[in-house]
Amino acid sequence: MHLLRFTFENHKSFRDEAVFDLTRSSLSTLRPPKDTTWADHIHHVDGIYGANASGKTNVLDALHYAVSAIGASATAWLDRPSFVRRPFVLNSSSTSEFSKFELEFVHDGERYQYQFTTNPDGIIEETLRVVNVRWKTIFTRSSDGVVNGLSKLHLVAPRELAFSRAAQLNIPIIKPIWKSIMRGFDIYRVGDREVSERLERIARQLHERTLSLNELVTLAQIADTGITHIEVEEQPLPPKIAKLFTQLINENSEDTDAEASEQQESSEDTEELREFIARNLLFRHGTGSGKLRESEESTGTMAWLALGTTVVNALRHGHVLVVDELGSSLHPQLSRLIIDWFEDPEINMMGAQLIFTSHDMTLLDAGRGDREKREQVWFVEKGADGASELFNLSDFPLQKRSNIVKQYLEGQFGGLPYTAPSLVYNLLNTHSTEEK
């Protein structure tokens, strides 16, 4: 799938409407012009820059929220005590006002527009449209849950999207589109937890042989890590530990079944616990026989393998990869390499897209040159009222050879922190006074 445009309003630090447009200015019609494809008219890399706490991550969070609602509002979300929602909270009126989310995307060569509106109680509006000659409505949903346009679905609960419910019911016109969205986005969050979870997935994929060991080693060699071999170490739970866990479970159990039944369940629990396997990666460097565990490798190496495998998967399948803080724990050249892969049509043959946030100013060189390049650079700035604003580099009048990095650091585009370094003297003096 391809993402064309994402619009949202009243989500976290974004009180007002924000439009994140990934189409090139060359696309002025509902369909690509003759002898061109969608891949010719979309951005394959878009970067979002701004100060700490400006709201960069909240752009990605809004996208994640919309995709999550489509995926889980008719299932897991219904088990929650209240409707999942994250409105702007710095004024009292916004918490009770509606929030809006809209996705324009391409599935199976067709252009779709899906939008839904929420309030504190649930969904108040929902529409899915497709381009025929003009926009054609597939279904609508009203605030009272009435669905029009789907023969097998006429009414939904206030807190569930009709889109999500229709997918659960396997309605033919909806399910393939829903799958395209669910499988088409991969959201990579910054932090050790994300890296750890991705590495666990890598170990599992290596064990299941859905990921090639040679591919992983090649990825490590691309980054000049010195790794020459990788293997999976498996550590089953020892029988004694499994038995101890079983005893603890039984002691805390409120089950009052007969003794024979308890013994049978205990045996089954023990067997199940024995099958628990912890998988870790082992790394060999050079020609030596020694091996290093994950914990003994550098943070940068682990971050590269976790993100690199995700990047390769996105490129292979044409996914939209969303990365918070691209460059975290990575050398700038590796971040640049990832961007180059997405920009190279000979590598990115499936038309995958990369959306990222970053503080790395060198990546802003993507905005150097003509207008089409500038369209790929976005800024987020937070006002005095705490509300974030999203704007594009192409909004500024710039010459072709403009030094984007220099002008950004000079504050010509906004999106910079307004620091007050002299306040450190007050901080130190206060500490000294307290000691006296």
Side-chain angles (χ1 to χ4, degrees):
M1 69 164 290
H2 300 310
L3 180 62
L4 303 180
R5 186 178 292 109
F6 175 56
T7 305
F8 64 101
E9 181 177 350
N10 193 23
H11 181 84
K12 287 199 168 180
S13 63
F14 284 87
R15 180 190 58 206
D16 304 319
E17 183 180 84
V19 180
F20 188 54
D21 193 346
L22 288 86
T23 60
R24 298 196 180 281
S25 55
S26 60
L27 184 65
S28 57
T29 55
L30 291 177
R31 291 178 176 273
K34 188 178 179 181
D35 298 326
T36 65
T37 66
W38 284 111
D40 298 322
H41 299 282
I42 62 171
H43 304 161
H44 295 284
V45 178
D46 277 66
I48 305 172
Y49 300 87
N52 287 327
S54 62
K56 302 186 304 298
T57 298
N58 290 341
V59 178
L60 310 188
D61 188 85
L63 180 59
H64 184 228
Y65 173 86
V67 173
S68 297
I70 294 169
S73 64
T75 52
W77 281 21
L78 294 179
D79 295 332
R80 301 192 181 188
S82 59
F83 180 66
V84 180
R85 191 166 174 265
R86 304 182 184 96
F88 184 78
V89 296
L90 296 184
N91 63 42
S92 56
S93 61
S94 292
T95 56
S96 58
E97 290 178 357
F98 69 82
S99 299
K100 186 175 180 180
F101 304 86
E102 181 181 297
L103 289 167
E104 278 194 47
F105 58 95
V106 176
H107 159 66
D108 199 20
E110 299 295 330
R111 181 174 185 166
Y112 292 86
Q113 180 194 66
Y114 174 69
Q115 69 87 19
F116 65 93
T117 306
T118 71
N119 67 10
D121 299 320
I123 315 297
I124 59 176
E125 184 184 18
E126 186 181 0
T127 306
L128 177 64
R129 304 195 300 167
V130 64
V131 170
N132 193 348
V133 177
R134 300 181 180 84
W135 283 109
K136 176 186 175 183
T137 300
I138 296 176
F139 78 82
T140 61
R141 175 264 186 78
S142 61
S143 58
D144 54 5
V146 175
V147 181
N148 291 308
L150 299 178
S151 59
K152 295 182 179 180
L153 184 62
H154 305 288
L155 188 68
V156 291
R159 287 167 49 186
E160 66 180 355
L161 290 170
F163 196 9
S164 184
R165 176 55 61 190
Q168 297 304 311
L169 295 174
N170 292 315
I171 294 179
I173 196 173
I174 298 298
K175 192 60 179 278
I177 306 170
W178 182 87
K179 280 185 177 180
S180 180
I181 293 175
M182 291 299 98
R183 297 173 179 175
F185 288 93
D186 192 351
I187 298 176
Y188 188 103
R189 297 182 178 276
V190 68
D192 294 339
R193 180 178 177 181
E194 181 78 11
V195 171
S196 178
E197 289 176 355
R198 298 276 174 166
L199 290 173
E200 288 177 8
R201 185 184 305 177
I202 289 171
R204 185 172 65 252
Q205 289 174 331
L206 287 172
H207 173 76
E208 297 169 352
R209 298 187 178 180
T210 56
L211 176 65
S212 165
L213 182 60
N214 290 335
E215 290 175 2
L216 191 62
V217 173
T218 299
L219 195 60
Q221 291 172 343
I222 287 173
D224 193 25
T225 62
I227 293 172
T228 55
H229 181 75
I230 302 174
E231 63 186 69
V232 179
E233 177 190 47
E234 296 186 350
Q235 294 180 322
L237 196 66
K240 289 184 179 180
I241 302 298
K243 186 176 181 179
L244 178 61
F245 270 109
T246 302
Q247 291 172 348
L248 290 172
I249 291 170
N250 290 335
E251 287 174 5
N252 292 295
S253 175
E254 297 179 358
D255 193 357
T256 58
D257 289 345
E259 183 178 348
S261 176
E262 288 180 355
Q263 289 176 351
Q264 181 181 357
E265 289 178 4
S266 175
S267 176
E268 290 173 353
D269 289 340
T270 302
E271 188 63 31
E272 184 176 335
L273 284 166
R274 279 178 182 168
E275 293 177 358
F276 174 82
I277 296 176
R279 296 188 177 95
N280 299 293
L281 297 175
L282 296 178
F283 303 88
R284 183 182 298 161
H285 291 251
T287 58
S289 59
K291 301 170 186 176
L292 297 179
R293 298 178 181 273
E294 293 174 25
S295 59
E296 297 171 312
E297 286 286 353
S298 73
T299 302
T301 297
M302 295 297 94
W304 168 250
L305 291 178
L307 179 56
T309 51
T310 306
V311 166
V312 170
N313 185 64
L315 290 168
R316 278 181 174 160
H317 298 96
H319 291 169
V320 180
L321 176 58
V322 182
V323 181
D324 193 14
E325 295 296 348
L326 178 66
S328 177
S329 300
L330 291 181
H331 191 281
Q333 285 189 351
L334 294 178
S335 300
R336 167 62 67 186
L337 184 62
I338 291 172
I339 290 174
D340 289 344
W341 286 348
F342 278 86
E343 294 272 61
D344 188 342
E346 293 186 4
I347 295 175
N348 187 8
M349 294 182 290
M350 300 298 293
Q353 295 170 278
L354 172 65
I355 300 169
F356 69 90
T357 67
S358 180
H359 292 289
D360 186 350
M361 301 303 170
T362 64
L363 299 181
L364 275 172
D365 279 338
R368 186 190 298 273
D370 57 23
R371 179 182 174 83
E372 285 192 351
K373 283 292 185 182
R374 296 175 193 172
E375 291 173 353
Q376 298 172 224
V377 179
W378 298 81
F379 301 108
V380 174
E381 191 166 50
K382 186 176 286 186
D385 56 358
S388 297
E389 179 186 2
L390 177 69
F391 50 97
N392 192 262
L393 179 61
S394 65
D395 296 337
F396 297 87
L398 296 171
Q399 297 179 353
K400 268 196 171 183
R401 299 297 178 183
S402 296
N403 188 328
I404 303 300
V405 175
K406 181 175 181 292
Q407 290 175 292
Y408 174 71
L409 293 174
E410 291 173 349
Q412 294 189 30
F413 311 127
L416 281 177
Y418 296 100
T419 59
S422 61
L423 291 179
V424 71
Y425 296 109
N426 295 342
L427 183 64
L428 296 174
N429 289 337
T430 301
H431 183 69
S432 299
T433 302
E434 288 176 352
E435 286 185 341
K436 291 179 181 178

